[in-house]
Amino acid sequence: MKYFNVYYYCNVVSNIIQYQTEEFLVNLSEFSHLYIESIPENYKKESILILFCQWAAGNIMEEDMFDDIKSLNQQIEKLNSQRNENICDNSDIDDLHNFFDLEGENKKYHGLLKKHEQFKKQNIIRAIWSEGAEYTLQIDKALKFYFDHEPQFTEWLLDSDEELIEDILYEYLGELKLTGWYEAVMEKIAHEMFYILFLNREFLLKFNEYIARTHDNEYSHVYTPKWVERAVFHRDRGKCTFCRRDLTSVYSVMEERGLHYDHIVSLEQGGINDVSNLQLLCDKCNLSKSTGVRTSDIYQNWFDILDDKQ
């Protein structure tokens, strides 16, 4: 786990699922149409939550990148207008090398200015370095972070004949998708998001309630693989989610009798057979919950912060 902006993505996704405001409903329906029809009957390691995280991370990152590109475009237009009105010779911007922390930044900046003599291209370069360091797309930052892949959008931008930077960004993202780099980044982020969100049963309840509303399929109880049981058991710390009864002895001595892997959103209520839709319950609590929709927001601390004992 390396965590590239993952807590930010988790927070956005949590808000999307919890509030489902009108501005996000269109995007949520897009996910539903793409993935819901293919929900398998049996448990799969490619959980529906992982697929959702992968889809959401891509949407969030692209939205943020296009917002950044708008700001970059405004900076370029400002520089172009100054040049057209002959009110600025850009000498103050050309002195940016005084602010560079790294010699490589200085060298790359001035090297590109020499290579691209057209003033519009030079203004793009000046805008990219307007903060004293090269502007880097989120996708390029992630590629560097996970795979040590050098950012390439600046060169792509300067070599393109397209007038609109937004069109150039579409082309660049399309190239990353064709070469597999885009999917590789989203998979990394999605698995790290899953690691965090899987710990939050309240989120899992809301998420699975949303999933239940998006399909008309009727799922039956199927064999629960050992990897699913281990994941849920260790997440819930071997305790009943509701009454906090310790089930570790039940797990090891009684061959798991009296221990239940319960669907948070029951199959009767549209729930699915997915690791994200399970919780650990004892006999009594499982019987009382029956086919309802319920979980607990009670979690065991890693240690007692008020206990002064060593």
Side-chain angles (χ1 to χ4, degrees):
M1 297 291 179
K2 296 185 71 173
Y3 297 124
F4 177 82
N5 285 354
V6 171
Y7 287 100
Y8 162 67
Y9 294 129
C10 286
N11 184 55
V12 174
V13 163
S14 181
N15 288 333
I16 289 173
I17 291 299
Q18 181 172 357
Y19 300 111
Q20 295 186 33
T21 55
E22 186 174 346
E23 62 181 302
F24 291 120
L25 288 179
V26 174
N27 287 340
L28 284 175
S29 65
E30 176 192 331
F31 170 76
S32 303
H33 292 142
L34 287 172
Y35 294 105
I36 296 304
E37 292 182 1
S38 61
I39 294 178
E41 177 75 19
N42 300 316
Y43 293 91
K44 298 293 183 182
K45 288 191 175 180
E46 193 176 49
S47 163
I48 191 69
L49 178 55
I50 291 178
L51 295 176
F52 179 77
C53 288
Q54 189 169 340
W55 169 84
N59 275 266
I60 296 166
M61 183 180 286
E62 287 190 22
E63 185 174 326
D64 288 347
M65 285 191 292
F66 276 101
D67 286 342
D68 288 347
I69 287 297
K70 287 180 182 178
S71 299
L72 184 65
N73 213 18
Q74 290 171 357
Q75 179 73 6
I76 294 170
E77 289 174 358
K78 179 181 177 181
L79 291 168
N80 288 338
S81 65
Q82 289 174 342
R83 178 65 176 264
N84 292 334
E85 296 170 13
N86 295 316
I87 62 174
C88 177
D89 62 2
N90 290 323
S91 60
D92 56 334
I93 302 173
D94 288 336
D95 283 336
L96 277 173
H97 65 272
N98 294 325
F99 301 100
F100 291 148
D101 294 327
L102 300 174
E103 183 180 349
E105 286 283 325
N106 182 17
K107 188 179 296 184
K108 183 175 182 180
Y109 171 71
H110 287 285
L112 288 172
L113 281 177
K114 290 179 181 179
K115 179 181 177 181
H116 300 276
E117 297 181 354
Q118 187 183 13
F119 87 91
K120 287 188 177 181
K121 294 288 187 181
Q122 291 196 341
N123 282 342
I124 291 175
I125 297 167
R126 293 182 176 106
I128 289 172
W129 266 273
S130 61
E131 300 296 327
E134 181 179 5
Y135 164 75
T136 308
L137 283 176
Q138 286 292 310
I139 187 72
D140 276 343
K141 288 180 180 178
L143 282 167
K144 178 68 175 175
F145 185 80
Y146 288 118
F147 305 107
D148 200 28
H149 185 275
E150 291 300 324
Q152 297 179 354
F153 180 66
T154 297
E155 287 78 2
W156 189 280
L157 180 59
L158 293 170
D159 291 339
S160 176
D161 294 325
E162 293 285 350
E163 289 291 329
L164 296 176
I165 296 183
E166 289 84 353
D167 291 341
I168 299 172
L169 178 55
Y170 274 119
E171 287 183 356
Y172 184 66
L173 293 178
E175 178 68 16
L176 291 178
K177 290 174 182 179
L178 283 174
T179 56
W181 284 115
Y182 185 94
E183 184 178 0
V185 166
M186 296 311 155
E187 282 184 357
K188 284 281 188 181
I189 294 175
H191 283 91
E192 293 177 356
M193 289 174 66
F194 177 86
Y195 182 84
I196 295 169
L197 294 172
F198 183 66
L199 299 173
N200 186 340
R201 289 190 301 271
E202 280 290 304
F203 168 80
L204 297 181
L205 184 146
K206 296 287 185 183
F207 175 72
N208 279 285
E209 281 185 322
Y210 157 68
I211 294 296
R213 292 195 297 272
T214 60
H215 70 89
D216 297 321
N217 302 334
E218 295 182 6
Y219 294 99
S220 304
H221 288 274
V222 297
Y223 168 75
T224 307
K226 291 298 180 184
W227 64 266
V228 173
E229 294 182 354
R230 285 194 298 270
V232 175
F233 186 87
H234 288 292
R235 182 202 62 199
D236 293 341
R237 310 287 294 281
K239 295 180 180 294
C240 175
T241 299
F242 294 163
C243 70
R244 309 308 297 156
R245 175 188 167 191
D246 190 340
L247 300 173
T248 53
S249 60
V250 175
Y251 185 82
S252 59
V253 176
M254 300 178 64
E255 297 181 351
E256 304 178 34
R257 288 174 294 174
L259 181 155
H260 297 269
Y261 295 94
D262 169 70
H263 288 83
I264 297 173
V265 176
S266 66
L267 300 181
E268 290 78 3
Q269 299 291 332
I272 61 174
N273 292 315
D274 191 89
V275 66
S276 70
N277 191 35
L278 292 184
Q279 62 189 349
L280 197 62
L281 294 183
C282 66
D283 263 334
K284 182 178 179 181
C285 291
N286 183 62
L287 185 63
S288 65
K289 177 177 178 285
S290 186
T291 59
V293 176
R294 181 186 166 200
T295 191
S296 166
D297 60 359
I298 300 173
Y299 299 91
Q300 182 180 358
N301 288 331
W302 294 107
F303 56 88
D304 187 350
I305 197 170
L306 301 177
D307 189 352
D308 293 332
K309 296 179 180 178
Q310 296 296 320

